[in-house]
Amino acid sequence: MDKFFITTAIDYTNDVIHIGHAYQKILADAIARYHRQKGDQTYFLTGTDEHGQKVETGAKKNNQDPKTFVDKIAKEDQNEWDSLNISYDRFIRTTDPDHIKFAQEFYLKAKANGDIYLAKYEGLYCEGCEAYLTESDLVENKCPFHPNFTPQKITEENYFFALSKYQKFLENHIKKNPEFIWPESKRKEILAFIKGGLKDFSVSRQGVTWGIPVPDDPKHTIYVWFDALINYLTYGIQKNCWPADIHVLGKDNQRFHAIYWPAMLKSAGYELPKTILVHDFISLNGQKISKSLGNVIRPSELVAKFGVDGVRYYFLRFGPLTNDIDISLDKIADSYNSDLANGLGNLVSRVAKMATGLEFKPGRLDKEKIYQEGLAQALSDFRFDLALQQIWLDIVAVDKHINQNTPWLVKDQDKLYRILEEEIEDIRKIAIRLAPFLPETAGKIEGIFTAKKIVATTPLFPRI
Ligand SMILES: [Zn+2]
């Protein structure tokens, strides 16, 4: 049995997540479910990133201690992911005791390797990124990701990680391993950034108390990014499933994952992850999704409107895999009505209605064979949009087959039975192929057509 370990980025607990974060989790979930279905021993990790200045400030504003504050947000985040049927094996929190212990051990390993040193730092800090910026990062004197914050000038004595030492190593690794960063456009961006020269980065803060204490100098806390990245390894080592096969993350996190993290791992003596899958962003009605713009929608609100698989379908079919996309509730409703209500839902109702009252003996379907070559290829290329397009061609083919055989005109019961048996088997195969993407729907379809007596059902996707 093959091992397969996939992670998402862990969400920052200054606020509950919104639909801008949903794509990544749905994507990782579909990959994890596909590998489970293939029979791989699958590990799927998600969670929350809970330390740092922004949480400290957020808790203070709410007159709460930071732990009470993050407990509530972590719980709400988890409920949001549950509403989307995200099948994580562990929801890790960076305040979990096993992670704190492991992060400290990791820090000491990098230090023992001579890569952590004390130095004075003077520079710009973006509170939004919880990261230092250089002049070249700024767009109109602001952080490109957080134009609402003004970068602060900070002077502090901190511990630094000797990232510059790993410049050649990283360059070689990325050149030799084309699958290390996906897609290719992001791989090129990262390589160009590395060639521009890497600077050592701060791995501790003195002014921030809400963090993991630096084990051998506890007046410092470990810098929130250094702490957060280690979450993957906390779990990976515990479950003996390291290295990760895929880290899924958004493009705002790509430098941390493709540069800092592999250098940190190399320093502490661990293997590197195999693939870093970077996706782009969504905007809503032409606007960035943010609390300050007042356009935040929670995933559970979308699920209430379109059903869990209505939401999953839209994102997997049209999501921002390699390009930023703009979404709207109308666009989701259109795809729901045309592809789910009219396409898949209609086919299932139609066949179930014709088969009502008949008794079929459903055979076991061999899942491995059902992934015809094209679909398996699309999935291993991370082209979920193409995978769904192929499945929808299968749906059209069954519809066509029904129209050609006109079962509603067939008077002979044996002949009718044979025609429907064939359609039912084809639909069940479609359900198996759909299961990683639309698990709830796939389960319902299998339930309808393996029942002792098939009955006409209420529509899987009532029109909106
Ligand atoms: Zn920023």
Side-chain angles (χ1 to χ4, degrees), residues 20-37:
H21 305 90
Y23 176 62
Q24 178 181 106
K25 270 60 180 180
I26 296 172
L27 197 66
D29 183 66
I31 304 173
R33 285 177 185 273
Y34 169 62
H35 280 270
R36 283 195 202 105
Q37 196 180 48

Side-chain angles (χ1 to χ4, degrees), residues 348-410:
V348 169
S349 307
R350 202 175 167 203
V351 174
K353 198 172 160 204
M354 289 187 285
T356 292
L358 296 176
E359 275 185 50
F360 291 87
K361 280 207 186 65
R364 266 198 68 229
L365 298 176
D366 187 347
K367 286 181 185 171
E368 293 224 345
K369 283 194 194 131
I370 289 167
Y371 273 90
Q372 82 275 38
E373 244 168 52
L375 186 58
Q377 188 60 48
L379 284 168
S380 66
D381 291 344
F382 306 128
R383 292 299 306 269
F384 311 95
D385 52 339
L386 295 184
L388 283 168
Q389 279 181 40
Q390 286 189 31
I391 296 172
W392 254 257
L393 289 178
D394 297 341
I395 293 171
V396 171
V398 179
D399 261 329
K400 205 170 152 196
H401 191 249
I402 294 172
N403 292 343
Q404 279 164 352
N405 284 284
T406 57
W408 54 90
L409 299 177
V410 174

Side-chain angles (χ1 to χ4, degrees), residues 220-285:
H220 292 254
T221 54
I222 296 178
Y223 169 52
V224 60
W225 264 105
F226 193 84
D227 150 14
L229 287 164
I230 297 168
N231 91 84
Y232 306 130
L233 198 63
T234 300
Y235 179 78
I237 295 299
Q238 212 170 72
K239 291 288 171 186
N240 198 20
C241 60
W242 189 259
D245 291 271
I246 305 176
H247 287 320
V248 186
L249 46 122
K251 63 179 169 184
D252 53 338
N253 292 345
Q254 68 183 17
R255 280 188 204 168
F256 293 97
H257 283 80
I259 300 174
Y260 290 24
W261 179 227
M264 287 163 60
L265 286 164
K266 178 76 182 159
S267 168
Y270 294 99
E271 277 184 76
L272 269 48
K274 290 179 197 159
T275 296
I276 288 161
L277 192 163
V278 183
H279 64 77
D280 279 15
F281 288 163
I282 66 167
S283 55
L284 178 64
N285 304 314

Side-chain angles (χ1 to χ4, degrees), residues 126 128-129 143 145-146:
C126 172
C129 295
C143 164
F145 296 115
H146 302 97

